[in-house]
């Protein structure tokens, strides 16, 4: 899906995100258009499905120290399989498509059999966050949305293969009663994410 993490010696790309460490990830235009089309399709689900009720709103502006309220699993409340409330950061309005994508995919997950193993619940949450990331990257790089490093980190973690560990490490509340069990079973994933974050994502010395 992506050119991957590259070093500073790589030729300039048309679209890129840069990590605090200075490493960056490059995107071809056709991939960004696919991300846009996916988020557009999910947004259409919200608008055109008469059985779906959703209540989007924008709260206060959030700085990077308040990332907890910007993470999609905290900003979106899925009430039933056809209703959701979204309270998005006021300074990230262009990213509305990302939060809406996440809400649709969470409602899809609720519509599926809820009586499933914790591993299945985790995989469904990873899929929902994956949809958020597509919308976030499209908003940032195609529509000129503002940078917000804590959400950029989701995109870098996905490309590094450590997104499951990030989701578990952040105590994703959408996992409900499976959270603690999943964190115990995913201890290696969490450790891999933390190692990557320290060694590859953050600048020397961390923060």
């Amino acid at each position: 899906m992506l050119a991957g993490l590259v070093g500073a010696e790589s030729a300039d790309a048309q679209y890129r995100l840069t990590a605090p460490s200075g490493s960056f990830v490059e995107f071809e235009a056709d991939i960004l258009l696919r991300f846009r089309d996916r988020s557009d399709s999910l947004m259409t689900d919200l608008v055109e499905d008469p059985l779906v009720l959703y209540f989007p709103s924008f709260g206060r502006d959030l700085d990077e120290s308040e990332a907890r309220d910007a993470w999609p699993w905290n900003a979106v409340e899925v009430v039933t399989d056809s209703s959701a409330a979204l309270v998005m950061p006021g300074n990230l309005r262009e990213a509305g498509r990302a939060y809406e994508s996440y809400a649709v995919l969470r409602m899809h997950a609720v519509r599926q059999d809820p009586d499933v193993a914790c591993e299945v619940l985790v995989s469904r949450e990873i899929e929902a966050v994956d949809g958020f990331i597509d919308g976030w990257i499209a908003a940032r790089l195609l529509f000129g949305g503002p940078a917000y490093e804590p959400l950029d980190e989701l995109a870098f973690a996905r490309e590094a293969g450590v997104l499951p560990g990030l989701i578990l490490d952040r105590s994703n509340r959408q996992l409900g009663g499976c959270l603690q069990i999943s964190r115990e079973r995913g201890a290696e994933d969490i450790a891999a994410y933390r190692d990557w974050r320290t060694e590859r994502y953050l600048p020397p010395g961390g923060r």
Side-chain angles (χ1 to χ4, degrees):
M1 291 179 62
L2 184 61
L5 294 173
V6 296
E9 72 278 1
S10 175
D12 288 344
Q14 186 173 3
Y15 300 96
R16 77 171 49 161
L17 293 176
T18 302
S21 65
S23 65
F24 53 86
V25 62
E26 299 178 336
F27 300 86
E28 298 294 336
D30 61 335
I31 293 196
L32 293 181
L33 291 175
R34 288 210 304 270
F35 291 170
R36 179 205 63 187
D37 290 346
R38 183 187 186 194
S39 64
D40 283 350
S41 176
L42 291 168
M43 290 166 70
T44 298
D45 277 4
L46 282 177
V47 173
E48 295 187 355
D49 188 339
L51 299 179
V52 169
L53 298 175
Y54 77 108
F55 308 94
S57 63
F58 290 94
R60 61 189 179 84
D61 292 358
L62 298 178
D63 62 34
E64 292 185 357
S65 69
E66 301 171 296
R68 178 176 298 276
D69 291 333
W71 295 333
W73 48 87
N74 289 334
V76 175
E77 181 68 35
V78 173
V79 182
T80 70
D81 65 357
S82 56
S83 63
L86 294 72
V87 181
M88 299 167 281
N91 52 324
L92 300 179
R93 290 177 180 271
E94 293 84 353
R97 66 175 50 243
Y99 289 97
E100 290 176 340
S101 294
Y102 178 84
V104 173
L105 291 168
R106 285 295 311 153
M107 285 190 283
H108 287 179
V110 173
R111 288 177 187 178
Q112 300 176 65
D113 182 2
D115 187 20
V116 295
C118 289
E119 301 86 62
V120 177
L121 291 180
V122 171
S123 70
R124 291 177 182 174
E125 179 61 12
I126 292 171
E127 180 182 359
V129 175
D130 183 74
F132 176 88
I133 293 169
D134 283 357
W136 171 252
I137 293 172
R140 283 272 282 112
L141 300 182
L142 283 181
F143 298 102
Y148 191 76
E149 181 273 318
L151 297 183
D152 282 351
E153 184 182 353
L154 297 176
F156 279 92
R158 181 173 74 175
E159 297 313 316
V162 295
L163 182 61
L166 182 156
I167 289 171
L168 294 174
D169 193 47
R170 300 290 166 82
S171 297
N172 186 313
R173 69 188 183 93
Q174 302 290 347
L175 299 180
C178 280
L179 176 59
Q180 187 57 40
I181 294 172
S182 298
R183 283 174 59 87
E184 292 171 359
R185 293 176 178 174
E188 291 185 1
D189 289 335
I190 294 173
Y193 158 68
R194 290 177 177 175
D195 288 345
W196 164 82
R197 189 172 194 271
T198 300
E199 297 170 6
R200 303 293 300 276
Y201 184 73
L202 296 178
R207 57 177 168 79

